[in-house]
Amino acid sequence: MLDIREVYGEPAALASPRGQQILARLPEVPITEVAGHWRIPSLHGNAGSVARWTRIKRETLVLGVRQSLTTRPNGRSADFIAPGASNGCAMACAYCYVPRRKGYANPITLFTNIEAIIAHIQRHVRAQGAKPEPNQCDRDAWVYDVGENGDCSVDALICDNTADLIAAFRALPTAKASFATKFVNPDLLGLDPQGRTRVRFSLMPQDDSRLLDIRTSPVARRIAAAADFLDAGYEVHFNLSPVVLRPGWQRDWAELLTHLDDVVPDRVKEQAAAEVILLTHNEQLHEVNLGWHPRAEDVLWQPAAQETKRSQNGAINVRYEFQVKQRAIGRLRELIASHAPWLRIRYAF
């Protein structure tokens, strides 16, 4: 997954305790100081980097200090989106939204001021008090997504940020951490979350994953890991995401759901829930993908079935046309009811 050969870091990040911990694990790796983790000309905005898309993800690490410590309401995957401890990822999912802002390279940026991030989350949780009533996010706890722009399972290969977040939520009886992942990291099994962290394993048919989920754990391995994570003290949910509409998609999702039903033990089924998320794409990312993985765009970029949507940050995205999307969601709900009726759908969009 990782073979770090170069580190870029802000001076404060390199000098911090967490930065020093990371560098101690990479004793022979050259370090380049940078003024800011967003301002690295050889990475961000360098069109020539697209040819090294996956190599950069494997070999480059950026260390920064997170300046913006804000928590915002969500209401879908979580009640709140917490300030993440990373940005970017070593995996290379062709549909990932994070590179849309980062130009032609998207390696992991780890934020080393983890104590400040956790202190902010703790203050926010305590300000909420007890959750007054159940909602689709959770019956009892406020749910905080702690991995919106990265993958906490991969981050844990490099440093203790994920372990520190899990430990912090273990001591917050009114809240849960939550993160989605496509990487099975057995090291997380020893972190003793005591039910205060929800892991959401992202799933899609294997043919889609082989084409689109580059450098991730095989889907079957993610499914097989569910019981181990539950037994280790995690709550385990699933993300059926993204749903890509292409010839044969209904057949392949039926096969996936049947496999899920066959493999997952009853103790996992009793507590599981899922999110259903249809593909959203982006014209800028489409152009980037054409430079390193054009085959993915054969299924991701379908203008005849997609419409434009301006996101909250002003980017122009494309999603399936409303009627197409509604029919697909309805059909997927039918497939779930037929092949995995135990799987409660928390939301679908």
Side-chain angles (χ1 to χ4, degrees), residues 32-47:
T32 302
E33 287 194 6
V34 294
H37 63 271
W38 281 106
R39 300 192 298 276
I40 305 175
S42 61
L43 291 177
H44 306 144
N46 176 11

Side-chain angles (χ1 to χ4, degrees), residues 50-248:
V50 73
R52 301 171 56 242
W53 187 260
T54 56
R55 182 178 173 183
I56 288 172
K57 285 174 166 291
R58 183 176 67 253
E59 297 181 353
T60 301
L61 177 66
V62 180
L63 303 181
V65 175
R66 178 152 196 146
Q67 300 296 328
S68 174
L69 297 178
T70 59
T71 292
R72 68 181 194 275
N74 179 247
R76 283 181 170 169
S77 63
D79 292 292
F80 300 102
I81 305 296
S86 69
N87 185 295
C89 185
M91 296 180 285
C93 301
Y95 48 81
C96 179
Y97 61 85
V98 178
R100 298 173 190 172
R101 293 181 59 204
K102 295 184 76 172
Y104 291 93
N106 184 36
I108 299 174
T109 297
L110 288 174
F111 298 122
T112 63
N113 54 330
I114 187 66
E115 298 90 349
I117 293 170
I118 289 174
H120 165 86
I121 294 171
Q122 290 170 330
R123 290 192 297 270
H124 194 277
V125 170
R126 290 165 181 152
Q128 306 312 306
K131 195 169 194 174
E133 59 186 10
N135 62 11
Q136 65 88 13
C137 299
D138 194 79
R139 182 182 59 198
D140 302 310
W142 297 109
V143 180
Y144 287 74
D145 192 320
V146 296
E148 182 188 32
N149 291 319
D151 192 305
C152 293
S153 297
V154 178
D155 296 348
L157 295 173
I158 308 171
C159 73
D160 292 339
N161 279 3
T162 299
D164 290 347
L165 285 164
I166 290 171
F169 276 90
R170 194 166 57 223
L172 293 170
T174 62
K176 288 179 183 176
S178 177
F179 62 87
T181 186
K182 302 180 186 71
F183 178 66
V184 178
N185 183 350
D187 293 345
L188 299 186
L189 298 176
L191 298 182
D192 190 27
Q194 298 181 14
R196 309 315 301 174
T197 294
R198 172 185 295 166
V199 174
R200 294 149 32 227
F201 285 107
S202 295
L203 308 178
M204 63 167 57
Q206 186 57 42
D207 283 350
D208 285 340
S209 181
R210 209 174 280 118
L211 177 66
L212 305 174
D213 274 359
I214 310 302
R215 308 191 77 239
T216 64
S217 297
V219 172
R221 188 178 177 198
R222 302 176 212 172
I223 295 172
D228 292 338
F229 275 75
L230 180 69
D231 294 344
Y234 293 89
E235 185 179 39
V236 178
H237 285 191
F238 300 102
N239 279 7
L240 309 184
S241 166
V243 180
V244 178
L245 305 184
R246 41 78 178 170

Side-chain angles (χ1 to χ4, degrees), residues 253-280:
W253 275 98
E255 290 179 1
L256 173 63
L257 292 165
T258 299
H259 176 74
L260 189 68
D261 185 54
D262 290 343
V263 170
V264 169
D266 288 343
R267 64 186 184 280
V268 175
K269 294 177 179 178
E270 290 167 0
Q271 56 82 66
E275 306 162 15
V276 176
I277 307 172
L278 269 70
L279 172 72
T280 297

